[in-house]
Amino acid sequence: MKTKIDSKSIWTIAYPIILGSVAQNIISVTDTAFLGHLSETALGAAAIATIFYFAIVMLVWGFGLGTQIVIARRVGEQNYTLVGKTFIHAFYFLMFSGVLLFGFMEFQSPSLLKWMVSSDAIFQASNDYISYRAWGILFACVNLLFRAFYIGIAKTKVISWSTGVMAVVNVFFDYALIFGNFGLPEMGIKGAALASVFAEFTAMIFFIVFTLRKIPIAHYDLFHFCKIDWPLFSRLIKVSFPIMIQNFLALSCWFVFFILVERMGEHELAISNIIRSIYVLLMVPVWAFGSAVNTLVSQVIGEGFPDKVMLIIWRTIKLSFLSVFALVGISIFIPDLIISIYTDNALLIEHTRPVVYVVFGASLLFPIAITLFHGISGTGRTFHAMLVEVVVLTFYLGAVYVLTQVLQVSVSEVWLSEYFYAIFLGTASLLYLKYAKWRGSVV
């Protein structure tokens, strides 16, 4: 069966991921909004702790993306039984990794945060968050596996449903546990972390039940707990490992970005956490279309049509850009209304406004940069994608250091570094796709 590459087919894969990402980001917005009304310290600590957590989770997220690429390639080859075998081998790896990462967060996070964070209040609140949030890592690993499976087979509607359930659960427990409503204890930032754990567990149960009831298990040979096929496992690691490192480094650099901002002051950190939440919402279509490109590129190469890759990428860029442009076009007229969701502090709103305009502009560059970059991963050349990311991140982090520690510019000028990142990443990715030898990639 040939993969369709028209705009409608790309949108069909991407829009459920967009809806799911919107629901996922409701969690982030809710956490930030509730904690913003709690205190500036809680708001700033949430930025540090959340990015620290996701930098660690990016290791298993990267493995999930690699699994998605391999599953999509098997679907393109119509080798459906190997889809289930790939799924189970990914499960083995993710569970093992999840246990290790849980231990790391529980026992090593306090010393790392203490070393990196200058404010005692921010350190204590961040550590409180991580100590509870770590308990959700195994549930997150299972959810990433199901996400990889459904995007890999291009049946993505379930992702929007599962994250919708996840968002509802998280909002309820955020309101209940942060402020002590409905007879539950008032836990502050710990309550935000525990609410996220409950939400991840609920999403995992939803995925399992849906899969057992709606997916032809025998067709894909799912849940067949076989002995480890080392050649298959090796191929999975070969594709996934560079994405794991790439994603870990990307989020780690953003964590360092916030550490450097934290040294500018708690007020600047609070501003940047609000900006982070708004920025991530604007980027929802970008990441969704990036996931669609991963799947479609891998499938058409599996079908033997590598010449269609650039056509897929350019059509996806158009859809991604138009989606972000629509969001920015609406948001640019109501910045204060958007910021007021997170805080009622008039000074904080005033100082956040110019930074919002900076990220509005940057967000229009990322549909091009991220889609091109995901196109490289979709070909299976994940090691080369990692090298591109490492080079770009090195220059990006150097620029951030100079802006914050040497030139000591304002927080709005620090966020101009996002323009540099997008332009450099997009240019490097385009040059790779145009001149590198990726058409014979095997995964």
Side-chain angles (χ1 to χ4, degrees), residues 105 137 204 238 301 312 319 356:
M105 283 189 281
I137 185 69
M204 181 188 72
K238 183 180 177 181
I301 292 177
I312 290 171
L319 292 172
V356 169

Side-chain angles (χ1 to χ4, degrees), residues 140-155:
C141 285
V142 176
N143 293 337
L144 288 172
L145 177 58
F146 278 109
R147 178 185 173 89
F149 169 71
Y150 282 108
I151 298 177
I153 66 172
K155 296 184 184 299

Side-chain angles (χ1 to χ4, degrees), residues 19-335:
L19 293 178
S21 297
V22 168
Q24 177 73 46
N25 281 282
I26 288 172
I27 296 172
S28 173
V29 170
T30 305
D31 283 354
T32 307
F34 284 156
L35 293 172
H37 288 87
L38 196 64
S39 69
E40 273 198 18
T41 298
L43 184 60
I48 297 291
T50 301
I51 296 173
F52 181 84
Y53 172 81
F54 278 109
I56 294 170
V57 169
M58 277 300 115
L59 288 167
V60 286
W61 180 280
F63 190 84
L65 286 175
T67 302
Q68 172 193 325
I69 292 167
V70 174
I71 287 175
R73 188 66 58 90
R74 298 294 85 84
V75 171
E77 297 166 351
Q78 298 185 37
N79 193 344
Y80 298 112
T81 56
L82 263 184
V83 169
K85 199 170 185 180
T86 301
F87 181 93
I88 287 301
H89 280 68
F91 174 79
Y92 295 155
F93 182 88
L94 288 170
M95 288 301 96
F96 177 74
S97 301
V99 171
L100 291 181
L101 293 177
F102 170 76
F104 175 82
M105 283 189 281
E106 281 294 303
F107 300 110
Q108 296 301 319
S109 294
S111 56
L112 273 175
L113 289 170
K114 184 67 175 176
W115 175 61
M116 292 178 173
V117 177
S118 60
S119 165
D120 288 338
I122 294 288
F123 159 71
Q124 188 57 56
S126 299
N127 190 52
D128 287 344
Y129 183 93
I130 292 294
S131 66
Y132 279 83
R133 192 74 166 89
W135 289 92
I137 185 69
L138 288 175
F139 309 140
C141 285
V142 176
N143 293 337
L144 288 172
L145 177 58
F146 278 109
R147 178 185 173 89
F149 169 71
Y150 282 108
I151 298 177
I153 66 172
K155 296 184 184 299
T156 52
K157 288 184 179 179
V158 64
I159 293 172
S160 60
W161 301 335
S162 66
T163 44
V165 170
M166 188 175 178
V168 170
V169 171
N170 192 88
V171 169
F172 173 79
F173 280 107
D174 258 354
Y175 183 69
L177 292 172
I178 292 175
F179 302 110
N181 293 308
F182 307 119
L184 294 173
E186 182 180 342
M187 299 178 67
I189 195 169
K190 296 178 184 177
L194 192 57
S196 296
V197 174
F198 290 155
E200 285 168 343
F201 175 77
T202 306
M204 181 188 72
I205 297 300
F206 180 89
F207 268 130
I208 293 171
V209 172
F210 180 90
T211 304
L212 291 173
R213 291 176 63 88
K214 298 294 184 179
I215 296 298
I217 304 298
H219 179 67
Y220 293 109
D221 198 24
L222 285 177
F223 305 127
H224 180 203
F225 290 90
C226 56
K227 292 182 179 179
I228 294 178
D229 180 337
W230 290 107
L232 185 153
F233 197 68
S234 177
R235 290 196 302 272
L236 194 55
I237 293 292
K238 183 180 177 181
V239 174
S240 302
F241 185 73
I243 308 178
M244 295 168 64
I245 300 303
Q246 163 207 318
N247 279 272
F248 172 73
L249 290 175
L251 261 291
S252 295
C253 282
W254 221 27
F255 177 70
V256 173
F257 173 95
F258 275 86
I259 290 294
L260 292 173
V261 171
E262 185 264 342
R263 293 177 180 176
M264 296 172 69
E266 289 187 15
H267 184 68
E268 287 77 9
L269 181 60
I271 291 171
S272 290
N273 194 21
I274 293 172
I275 293 301
R276 175 190 65 85
S277 184
I278 295 171
Y279 198 23
V280 168
L281 278 174
L282 292 172
M283 292 288 285
V284 162
V286 176
W287 297 116
F289 282 109
S291 290
V293 159
N294 273 339
T295 292
L296 290 169
V297 166
S298 192
Q299 283 187 3
V300 296
I301 292 177
E303 292 169 359
F305 301 108
D307 291 340
K308 293 182 178 180
V309 166
M310 292 309 298
L311 178 61
I312 290 171
I313 290 173
W314 289 119
R315 284 181 176 175
T316 307
I317 285 173
K318 181 178 72 173
L319 292 172
S320 183
F321 179 83
L322 289 174
S323 299
V324 176
F325 185 79
L327 290 175
V328 171
I330 296 169
S331 303
I332 200 167
F333 296 107
I334 51 170

Side-chain angles (χ1 to χ4, degrees), residues 326-405:
L327 290 175
V328 171
I330 296 169
S331 303
I332 200 167
F333 296 107
I334 51 170
D336 286 12
L337 179 62
I338 295 171
I339 299 167
S340 66
I341 295 172
Y342 302 94
T343 181
D344 52 10
N345 184 317
L347 185 63
L348 193 55
I349 292 172
E350 180 184 345
H351 290 172
T352 303
R353 189 185 307 115
V355 195
V356 169
Y357 288 122
V358 170
V359 299
F360 281 165
S363 64
L364 294 173
L365 298 175
F366 278 100
I368 303 169
I370 295 298
T371 307
L372 288 166
F373 182 68
H374 275 262
I376 300 176
S377 297
T379 66
R381 300 294 194 190
T382 53
F383 180 74
H384 294 166
M386 181 193 73
L387 293 180
V388 170
E389 181 81 295
V390 167
V391 172
V392 173
L393 288 173
T394 300
F395 284 100
Y396 167 76
L397 207 54
V400 173
Y401 180 83
V402 170
L403 290 171
T404 58
Q405 306 302 305

